[in-house]
Amino acid sequence: MPDFSNRLKTLLILLLTIINSIVFFEIYFRLTEIILPSFVYDDIEIGRTHKPNALVNLVGAEGFYMGKINKYGYPGKEYPPQKDEKVFRIALIGDSYVEGFQLFERHHFARLIENEINNNSQRKIEILNFGTGGADFRGMYLRHTKLALNFNPDLTLYFLKREDLLKKDAIPVPEPILTKDSIFFQPIKLNNTASKLRETFAFVREYSVGNLFKEVFETIYTGRLPQVVFEKLFFLVSDNSQMVSEKISENEDRFYNYNLKIIKQLAKLNEAGYKILLIEVEKLPEDYISLIKSNNIEILPLYSELQNYSKYELNYWKASGKLGHWNQKAHKIISKYLSEILINYNF
Amino acid sequence: MQFNSFIFFLFFIVATIVYYFVSSNKRNLALLISNYLFYSYFDYRFSFLLLSLTSLTYFIGKSIRKSESYESKKKIITLGITVNILILGVFKYLNFFSESFVWLLNQFGLYLDPLTIKIIQPLGISFYIFQSLTWLFDNYYEKLDEDYNLIEFLTFSSFFPTVIAGPIERAHRLMPQIKSNRIFNKENLKAGIYLIVYGLFRKIFIGDTIGRMINHIFAEPEYFTSFEIFSAILLYAIQIYNDFAGYSNIAKGVAKVLGFDIMLNFRQPYLANSVTDFWRRWHISFSSWLRDYIFYPLQLKFRYYGRWGNLIAIILTFLICGLWHGASLNFVLWGFLHGIYLSAAFLFGNNSSPLSNKDVSNTNLKLLSVIKTFILVTVAWILFRVENFDTLKTLLFQLSIFSTGEFVERFLKITLSYYLISFILDYIEMRFQTENILLKLKPAVALGISIVVTILIFSYLLTSDKAPFIYARF
Amino acid sequence: MISERLKQVILKELKLDSFNFEENTTADQVPGWDSLSHLNVILAVEKEFNIRFKPYELLKLKNIGELQKLIDEKLSK
């Protein structure tokens, strides 16, 4: 049956070509850094966490970041857990604004502050950046206690925005359990379908092509597909979904309770000598402010400094003409503001 | 509707089905309606301009054809060109000229407020006006054998595969195809789809992805090191080529599915061995337009000035070439620089000057002249790319300090990879003597590659912000 | 039919030894006849036959056969 064997041969060639093409693209994507293997993974105790030694190259509507997650699992300049006695160590905790994956590390306020203080005073400081995109207050607390504390920081800076006090759904985070006067976190459960799926296919993120497919899956999963496909004609196929209200209302009482417990835990750390400074990136609700103050945690109103500048100065990205995260100028302004405070800080 | 969008592919599939479904005498009408739907998607108001201007041009062309004497033909074509260029000027260049004029007055101590008239530029205007002008020229030089009706001309002047960014077709090439009966043909469909897939790869996975990165470097060079800026300059040459050649492939492929053969727009331009040769391979539909309708007439007009005749024609042609790309000084300077390159090649054509365009047979020398040409062209691209002179100054300053930064190896890796892929594709095109390289492979291999490329491209489009096509703004 | 005289002028101007000119040969098929040398070819033809072309007449030409026809017309006047 020559016809049958010919067809089989064609099919074989087709399959081989497909496999070869995928291998080609895997190599091509890595070489050109169009898409790299994922630089995060979902740790069952911490939630979304940077993957040690992963390369990062992020370009898009905002800025351009090229860098690497260091071998200790946080982005940028590498400091080992052991610390020199004479050195004052600062840990940064926050979300994507602190993570700063929109500009090169040399323009990040962490490096600018370090340079400013180390060059212009007798002091020697080290700044470790534990900011993570998408982290909420819970996620920050987990990063702080499960990761940052291993590096013996003398001071920990929490950068908080209003929305951080709510739960951000995008990222899997260990669920909190409240006890009478404390809070615990249950490791991410692996027994529901979504988590199982995530766990089963975790390996695809180790590949560029797999990471691309994972992104497609998330676009579909989060319901953004029609909008991407139909663009301007989107209104024809769907009602405009209502903007999610940012109000901290009764619905968020639960989070208030969680946040309250986290603040109490932070107060304990603060007392034990792991100094904590809360930085208001945006003005926080009054009840939070009084709560934080009553727990003897210091607050710095960074927003009052940022208010002196327009959004076009702080958040404008020239290449795309869009507003987004802090740009180089904003980082410079923040570094100036914080350097002045830190240089006089009672170390 | 960008070619690299889902909405375009939905439109294209529906338009193609309707196009082949209607009876053959209504096919042009179906195409005309698709053209206007496509064009109106960007901004429906501009389609009125397109419709009225090209209708007027049609009747002017008809009366050129009808007139008996050379003198009256000349009068009518002058009118037709003037109208079209005036419209182009109003929409595209008024800002530039008023600003430059004010600047000039300021130099002499006269101060005026810039009369900047903010008019949004209708998309593709430079392309469709140049394409409809060929209708006037082809009637004037009697290149058209048949008579064409208004529907046929409007279909030609708004032809959706090429209306936004070319290739700029000629009336005497495309209009006979519009007149002829086109029936559905499996071979055309296959050839068209393969060319679209190939074009999408070049446009998206080389052009767009480079652009996403280096746009930030060109926008704010003050934040980047000499080495990073140098890489960006090298990458820009690859970006603009693959973006534009990929786009042309898609346009040709789309036209092919509809049964049309559109002219070749790029023929491995970076393998050119002189700048003159480069212009025979780069944006051919436009460079040959300039040659036929601007350079030749100028050259013949000035022919009794000897060498100066050619020189004047070269410089003027390239100033127009620069100006066509945009209403700003950097494009004019870019054109002027190419004018200088070509003039020098013409003047020193017979000796071994680096600008000479003499063909060399020795392989080493050939390689050297290809590299030399590439460097000259890439240096000129800097002028083409920068948005203003402040940025250019910053960029040159940053380049001059010889800083390296912490990512030398990664930038090197990225740059070399893009050069390699672009060169390999060019090499295959050259060997196969065609840009539709998938068509030359074993069917199963071509199919396998197409499946993977298509899936990856659509995945990428789903997950990233698209980059608009560079040339569409001209 | 392309006259021997026209062939010789073109060959001499383009420094070619020989080339097989047909009625429908176009300029870009002839080695060395590019947009720049075009001018010299035209000037040489004008000199050889002692005639003058109008730009319009030249721009209308599609091939060498038409150039021959144009020359013949000019000479017969």
Side-chain angles (χ1 to χ4, degrees):
Chain A
M1 287 193 293
D3 188 43
F4 176 75
S5 75
N6 261 344
R7 275 194 189 178
L8 198 70
K9 206 177 132 196
T10 309
L11 202 68
L12 211 69
I13 294 172
L14 181 68
L15 273 174
L16 269 174
T17 312
I18 288 177
I19 292 166
N20 282 335
S21 303
I22 292 173
V23 172
F24 163 80
F25 273 104
E26 181 65 32
I27 296 166
Y28 180 65
F29 286 159
R30 287 190 192 211
L31 286 175
T32 52
E33 302 196 359
I34 292 173
I35 305 154
L36 289 169
S38 180
F39 60 87
V40 291
Y41 70 100
D42 295 326
D43 186 278
I44 56 166
E45 292 207 338
I46 307 176
R48 188 149 288 187
T49 307
H50 291 127
K51 193 159 68 193
N53 295 318
L55 290 184
V56 190
N57 185 329
L58 288 174
V59 284
E62 295 182 31
F64 170 24
Y65 174 84
M66 187 184 268
K68 196 184 164 195
I69 309 297
N70 64 38
K71 69 174 179 221
Y72 302 110
Y74 57 93
K77 202 167 177 185
E78 194 169 271
Y79 293 110
Q82 315 77 26
K83 183 186 72 121
D84 196 315
E85 279 294 306
K86 286 166 279 180
V87 166
F88 189 79
R89 191 171 266 191
I90 300 171
L92 307 181
I93 304 286
D95 62 8
S96 49
Y97 279 77
V98 176
E99 187 183 45
F101 281 175
Q102 297 80 28
L103 34 69
F104 280 33
E105 200 193 356
R106 57 184 181 242
H107 300 116
H108 192 288
F109 65 83
R111 294 289 85 79
L112 300 179
I113 295 170
E114 247 181 34
N115 291 342
E116 175 70 24
I117 295 183
N118 290 343
N119 295 339
N120 299 322
S121 74
Q122 300 298 314
R123 288 177 161 159
K124 174 101 180 70
I125 66 162
E126 290 172 354
I127 301 181
L128 287 65
N129 183 359
F130 294 98
T132 313
D136 53 17
F137 193 34
R138 237 184 343 165
M140 292 179 198
Y141 174 73
L142 287 166
R143 295 272 286 169
H144 177 201
T145 50
K146 307 256 175 193
L147 192 63
L149 281 183
N150 301 338
F151 293 83
N152 308 303
D154 299 293
L155 177 66
T156 302
L157 306 182
Y158 266 74
F159 290 77
L160 281 179
K161 297 204 299 299
R162 274 173 76 104
E163 61 177 57
D164 297 329
L165 299 170
L166 300 173
K167 184 185 171 187
K168 291 180 187 168
D169 274 324
I171 289 173
V173 180
E175 278 301 315
I177 299 167
L178 291 181
T179 61
K180 205 174 155 206
D181 59 344
S182 187
I183 185 167
F184 294 102
F185 289 88
Q186 188 163 350
I188 297 173
K189 281 189 202 138
L190 295 176
N191 51 15
N192 69 43
T193 331
S195 316
K196 254 187 201 156
L197 214 63
R198 211 177 266 284
E199 183 66 16
T200 317
F201 288 101
F203 77 95
V204 302
R205 290 201 212 163
E206 305 288 321
Y207 301 93
S208 290
V209 173
N211 201 18
L212 175 63
F213 289 146
K214 181 224 126 213
E215 293 285 325
V216 174
F217 175 75
E218 287 198 346
T219 306
I220 298 168
Y221 192 74
T222 52
R224 283 182 291 127
L225 188 64
Q227 197 169 359
V228 178
V229 173
F230 291 100
E231 294 179 16
K232 258 198 215 171
L233 303 178
F234 180 54
F235 68 93
L236 293 176
V237 293
S238 164
D239 299 330
N240 272 349
S241 55
Q242 290 205 320
M243 291 288 286
V244 182
S245 156
E246 272 188 58
K247 267 189 191 158
I248 298 179
S249 61
E250 322 83 75
N251 283 345
E252 275 73 41
D253 276 354
R254 203 159 56 93
F255 297 114
Y256 182 78
N257 287 332
Y258 293 150
N259 294 335
L260 173 87
K261 295 281 158 102
I262 294 174
I263 289 166
K264 288 215 184 296
Q265 294 295 104
L266 291 183
K268 279 185 201 160
L269 279 171
N270 197 31
E271 246 162 66
Y274 297 101
K275 281 287 170 205
I276 288 161
L277 195 54
L278 281 188
I279 295 174
E280 278 182 276
V281 175
E282 283 167 12
K283 195 164 170 21
L284 297 178
E286 277 309 321
D287 42 351
Y288 273 101
I289 301 289
S290 48
L291 178 71
I292 292 163
K293 281 187 177 152
S294 69
N295 279 288
N296 293 323
I297 299 176
E298 262 186 273
I299 295 193
L300 269 183
L302 175 62
Y303 70 89
S304 65
E305 171 68 15
L306 296 181
Q307 271 168 2
N308 299 329
Y309 304 89
S310 72
K311 271 205 165 293
Y312 280 91
E313 286 171 285
L314 303 175
N315 304 86
Y316 185 69
W317 293 94
K318 212 170 153 192
S320 59
K322 283 183 179 156
L323 291 174
H325 287 82
W326 288 327
N327 59 24
Q328 288 90 346
K329 191 174 178 201
H331 275 262
K332 207 166 186 182
I333 290 163
I334 293 163
S335 83
K336 240 189 202 146
Y337 173 82
L338 288 179
S339 299
E340 270 168 35
I341 287 162
L342 291 172
I343 217 160
N344 300 315
Y345 191 81
N346 184 17
F347 281 40
Chain B
M1 244 181 272
Q2 296 286 344
F3 280 176
N4 52 345
S5 70
F6 285 92
I7 195 81
F8 171 73
F9 287 102
L10 292 177
F11 162 82
F12 179 45
I13 291 166
V14 174
T16 307
I17 292 170
V18 171
Y19 175 81
Y20 283 118
F21 205 72
V22 299
S23 62
S24 60
N25 58 344
K26 296 210 179 66
R27 203 151 284 157
N28 281 337
L29 193 64
L31 181 56
L32 181 59
I33 293 169
S34 302
N35 288 347
Y36 273 86
L37 282 178
F38 174 83
Y39 193 76
S40 305
Y41 184 81
F42 297 101
D43 191 332
Y44 70 93
R45 288 168 300 182
F46 294 148
S47 47
F48 295 113
L49 178 70
L50 174 65
L51 182 66
S52 43
L53 182 62
T54 54
S55 302
L56 180 68
T57 305
Y58 170 73
F59 290 110
I60 294 174
K62 285 294 269 191
S63 53
I64 294 173
R65 191 176 173 81
K66 275 189 214 127
S67 43
E68 303 280 314
S69 71
Y70 164 68
E71 280 70 29
S72 66
K73 273 176 199 274
K74 192 167 181 177
K75 268 183 204 147
I76 304 170
I77 196 173
T78 311
L79 172 77
I81 295 171
T82 311
V83 170
N84 274 283
I85 298 301
L86 269 179
I87 298 281
L88 185 62
V90 166
F91 280 100
K92 212 172 154 174
Y93 302 112
L94 214 55
N95 286 342
F96 172 59
F97 283 123
S98 62
E99 276 167 18
S100 302
F101 184 63
V102 170
W103 178 83
L104 198 70
L105 287 179
N106 285 347
Q107 302 310 302
F108 293 102
L110 292 163
Y111 289 93
L112 277 179
D113 261 5
L115 310 152
T116 313
I117 301 165
K118 294 269 177 226
I119 300 173
I120 310 161
Q121 190 187 315
L123 205 67
I125 191 167
S126 314
F127 288 91
Y128 73 69
I129 283 190
F130 265 46
Q131 178 152 320
S132 13
L133 281 177
T134 68
W135 162 252
L136 299 183
F137 288 122
D138 286 350
N139 274 305
Y140 182 65
Y141 294 128
E142 295 166 19
K143 298 275 164 84
L144 296 169
D145 298 327
E146 287 176 275
D147 262 323
Y148 294 96
N149 63 34
L150 181 62
I151 301 279
E152 284 159 351
F153 179 76
L154 290 180
T155 309
F156 162 76
S157 57
S158 64
F159 190 53
F160 83 81
T162 64
V163 69
I164 301 303
I168 302 166
E169 263 300 350
R170 310 297 177 82
H172 71 263
R173 275 184 39 90
L174 192 54
M175 293 199 56
Q177 297 186 50
I178 290 174
K179 205 173 193 68
S180 72
N181 186 25
R182 299 169 305 276
I183 44 166
F184 181 76
N185 173 330
K186 243 180 162 176
E187 289 305 306
N188 277 349
L189 182 70
K190 195 170 99 180
I193 289 175
Y194 279 162
L195 203 51
I196 294 171
V197 168
Y198 179 61
L200 282 171
F201 176 80
R202 283 210 120 150
K203 159 115 185 76
I204 293 173
F205 281 145
I206 304 180
D208 286 0
T209 49
I210 292 178
R212 280 161 67 88
M213 188 171 100
I214 66 173
N215 282 350
H216 296 281
I217 301 178
F218 279 108
E220 295 173 298
E222 60 268 38
Y223 296 123
F224 295 92
T225 67
S226 310
F227 187 80
E228 288 153 9
I229 291 173
F230 183 64
S231 306
I233 291 169
L234 287 180
L235 282 171
Y236 183 65
I238 297 298
Q239 182 204 354
I240 188 165
Y241 166 47
N242 284 278
D243 187 67
F244 200 7
Y247 184 93
S248 301
N249 288 334
I250 301 169
K252 279 189 73 169
V254 168
K256 187 81 189 168
V257 170
L258 301 174
F260 295 94
D261 276 309
I262 299 295
M263 69 192 290
L264 182 74
N265 217 12
F266 289 87
R267 198 162 40 83
Q268 304 95 50
Y270 292 147
L271 301 182
N273 56 28
S274 69
V275 180
T276 319
D277 191 23
F278 172 80
W279 279 102
R280 291 191 202 109
R281 296 156 167 266
W282 177 271
H283 202 179
I284 298 166
S285 66
F286 174 65
S287 59
S288 63
W289 195 105
L290 291 177
R291 184 196 62 203
D292 293 347
Y293 304 125
I294 295 184
F295 179 75
Y296 280 150
L298 284 174
Q299 184 192 41
L300 290 172
K301 205 178 173 68
F302 297 124
R303 69 184 182 281
Y304 300 118
Y305 297 99
R307 315 185 110 184
W308 289 103
N310 263 335
L311 286 182
I312 297 169
I314 291 172
I315 297 285
L316 280 176
T317 305
F318 275 92
L319 283 178
I320 292 169
C321 171
L323 202 55
W324 179 88
H325 282 86
S328 73
L329 202 55
N330 63 320
F331 291 126
V332 179
L333 287 176
W334 167 78
F336 185 65
L337 185 57
H338 270 281
I340 300 276
Y341 286 163
L342 287 173
S343 308
F346 170 65
L347 284 176
F348 310 119
N350 295 322
N351 60 38
S352 56
S353 132
L355 286 162
S356 127
N357 57 2
K358 216 167 82 179
D359 269 344
V360 277
S361 44
N362 183 311
T363 320
N364 283 337
L365 277 178
K366 212 165 204 165
L367 183 67
L368 215 64
S369 51
V370 169
I371 294 171
K372 164 209 86 186
T373 307
F374 181 74
I375 292 171
L376 290 174
V377 171
T378 303
V379 168
W381 283 138
I382 301 174
L383 281 175
F384 194 88
R385 179 60 183 80
V386 292
E387 268 129 42
N388 52 56
F389 282 90
D390 287 337
T391 315
L392 180 63
K393 247 192 271 168
T394 316
L395 187 141
L396 293 178
F397 173 76
Q398 289 294 98
L399 261 183
S400 69
I401 56 178
F402 292 106
S403 50
T404 51
E406 56 275 49
F407 299 115
V408 171
E409 286 124 38
R410 281 173 79 179
F411 272 96
L412 207 60
K413 177 191 77 173
I414 293 170
T415 309
L416 288 178
S417 307
Y418 278 122
Y419 267 76
L420 193 65
I421 187 79
S422 186
F423 175 76
I424 289 173
L425 292 178
D426 271 11
Y427 184 76
I428 299 172
E429 280 186 21
M430 193 179 70
R431 286 303 293 265
F432 284 161
Q433 292 288 310
T434 173
E435 50 187 338
N436 205 345
I437 60 176
L438 285 170
L439 216 50
K440 292 275 172 178
L441 301 174
K442 260 196 179 133
V445 175
L447 182 66
I449 294 174
S450 301
I451 290 171
V452 174
V453 172
T454 309
I455 291 174
L456 290 178
I457 278 169
F458 280 83
S459 303
Y460 185 76
L461 288 182
L462 268 180
T463 57
S464 60
D465 325 275
K466 290 182 284 293
F469 172 59
I470 298 179
Y471 252 76
R473 60 191 171 100
F474 299 131
Chain C
M1 199 36 209
I2 309 300
S3 72
E4 199 53 37
R5 198 169 161 203
L6 177 58
K7 279 184 196 170
Q8 286 310 320
V9 183
I10 297 173
L11 290 178
K12 193 180 159 211
E13 190 52 46
L14 297 175
K15 298 186 180 73
L16 292 173
D17 294 331
S18 68
F19 186 82
N20 184 26
F21 289 101
E22 304 280 345
E23 288 272 328
N24 56 1
T25 302
T26 57
D28 53 351
Q29 292 166 347
V30 186
W33 193 338
D34 60 21
S35 50
L36 291 171
S37 59
H38 182 62
L39 184 69
N40 299 333
V41 174
I42 295 300
L43 287 173
V45 171
E46 283 186 329
K47 202 173 162 195
E48 172 70 25
F49 294 96
N50 198 20
I51 47 176
R52 278 204 167 200
F53 300 116
K54 289 184 183 130
Y56 176 71
E57 294 169 335
L58 292 168
L59 292 165
K60 263 170 72 174
L61 301 178
K62 292 194 182 93
N63 51 43
I64 302 213
E66 291 192 5
L67 176 63
Q68 180 71 58
K69 230 187 277 167
L70 183 66
I71 294 168
D72 294 344
E73 260 172 48
K74 295 247 166 198
L75 287 176
S76 66
K77 264 180 196 170

